[in-house]
Amino acid sequence: MTAIVQSKAAAPRFATPRRDRRAALTLALPALIVLVFLYVAPLARLLSLSLHSEAGFSLEAYGRILGDSYGRSLVWNSLRLGLITTGVTLVVGYPAAFGLAFSKGALRSLFLASLFLPLAASVIAKAFAWTILLRSHGAVNDALLALHLTQKPIRMIFTQTSLIVGSANIFLPFMILPIYAVVAQIDPRLTEAAATLGAPPPQAFLRVVVPLSLPGVVAGVALVFSLSVSAYVVPTLLMGENYQTLANAIAKAFLLVRDPALGSAAGAILMAIGLAVVVVGNRLGGVGR
């Protein structure tokens, strides 16, 4: 009799998690349906197109990109743009995030506004603004000529320097904000404790603050690299035909050449690069925590 009572009392304990899972699945079902139609189905279509040719299943489109020197240069140009842009934004954004975290009152509001307001403008507008600034008779050259620092306009637009500067400027907020979100939560008493134990300020920063800020760094690096490696508007406006990337190849394959297999293969390669960044970022972020 006691065993029966115990089994009846224990039954709800096993049934409750099952009901919770069903309730969670029911609540998540609309979002899952939206994700399937908006993301999973298009990505599956993209992969199927990249593996299709007139003869049926084929890896020909991937061979035309990875097996050709020009195609490999597209991959390298995309990776190079992503790596350099990420490095520049990290060098500039890391101390800027600390400055933002340590600022107070109206100064912090001003800094936050300077970060969020550019995000309200489109990438096209910001990239086109850089073309106006850097052209032969733009604001930068006019200032250099007015200050007699140069005798004639300097060619700035359609150079790799302009591409890196414009790209780093456009994607800089995506590096600063994740680092700031982590740094703002670091207890300042930790560095005081390190100083009490005899650690000089540089050592306390390297041994205490830097490891604690790594999750924000990893998140910022993943965001900026993913955005810059797949950028289309920025290289097109700031470099034109002089710097071809996978994003340019995708646009040309679908809009000009009418070769969906080639464009889908380029898109699948970009997607693989993005997934690799996410996986590595999750691993490094876990180590940082």
Side-chain angles (χ1 to χ4, degrees):
M1 186 67 178
T2 304
I4 296 176
V5 172
Q6 290 178 349
S7 64
K8 289 183 178 179
R13 191 177 304 169
F14 295 100
T16 300
R18 191 178 297 115
R19 286 199 300 266
D20 291 343
R21 286 194 295 268
R22 289 176 181 174
L25 181 60
T26 302
L27 292 174
L29 188 59
L32 291 175
I33 294 174
V34 172
L35 288 175
V36 168
F37 279 99
L38 294 184
Y39 293 98
V40 177
L43 289 178
R45 178 60 175 168
L46 179 76
L47 292 175
S48 66
L49 286 175
S50 68
L51 299 172
H52 180 75
S53 67
E54 296 180 356
F57 177 83
S58 175
L59 296 174
E60 178 188 359
Y62 292 94
R64 290 159 61 188
I65 296 176
L66 301 177
D68 180 72
S69 58
Y70 176 74
R72 289 193 297 270
S73 71
L74 297 177
V75 178
W76 168 241
N77 285 343
S78 299
L79 291 173
R80 183 173 179 271
L81 176 60
L83 290 171
I84 296 178
T85 302
T86 302
V88 172
T89 55
L90 179 59
V91 171
V92 177
Y94 192 77
F98 278 86
L100 179 61
F102 294 152
S103 61
K104 303 294 183 181
L107 186 60
R108 174 180 288 188
S109 300
L110 179 63
F111 287 162
L112 286 173
S114 66
L115 282 176
F116 283 107
L117 286 179
L119 296 177
S122 68
V123 176
I124 298 176
K126 289 183 285 189
F128 190 73
W130 275 104
T131 65
I132 297 174
L133 288 173
L134 299 177
R135 61 189 180 184
S136 298
H137 297 286
V140 177
N141 269 310
D142 287 346
L144 293 176
L145 290 172
L147 295 173
H148 302 287
L149 297 178
T150 182
Q151 300 300 321
K152 59 181 181 180
I154 300 175
R155 183 174 180 269
M156 298 180 182
I157 197 67
F158 300 127
T159 62
Q160 293 193 19
T161 302
S162 68
L163 174 61
I164 297 302
V165 170
S167 180
N169 171 263
I170 291 171
F171 298 122
L172 182 61
F174 298 99
M175 179 66 73
I176 295 178
L177 291 175
I179 300 177
Y180 159 72
V182 174
V183 172
Q185 299 178 13
I186 298 178
D187 192 340
R189 293 176 296 180
L190 294 176
T191 54
E192 297 175 1
T196 303
L197 295 174
Q203 185 178 5
F205 178 78
L206 293 175
R207 299 289 296 273
V208 178
V209 178
V210 171
L212 292 175
S213 66
L214 279 181
V217 172
V218 171
V221 167
L223 276 173
V224 173
F225 183 82
S226 299
L227 291 171
S228 57
V229 78
S230 59
Y232 171 72
V233 173
V234 179
T236 301
L237 291 179
L238 296 181
M239 282 291 290
E241 296 293 326
N242 298 326
Y243 197 89
Q244 294 297 306
T245 62
L246 283 173
N248 298 113
I250 295 172
K252 290 181 178 179
F254 281 105
L255 301 178
L256 299 178
V257 185
R258 302 295 182 181
D259 191 345
L262 182 63
S264 299
I269 293 173
L270 267 182
M271 184 173 63
I273 294 173
L275 288 175
V277 171
V278 171
V279 172
V280 174
N282 286 336
R283 295 283 182 88
L284 294 178
V287 171
R289 287 189 294 269

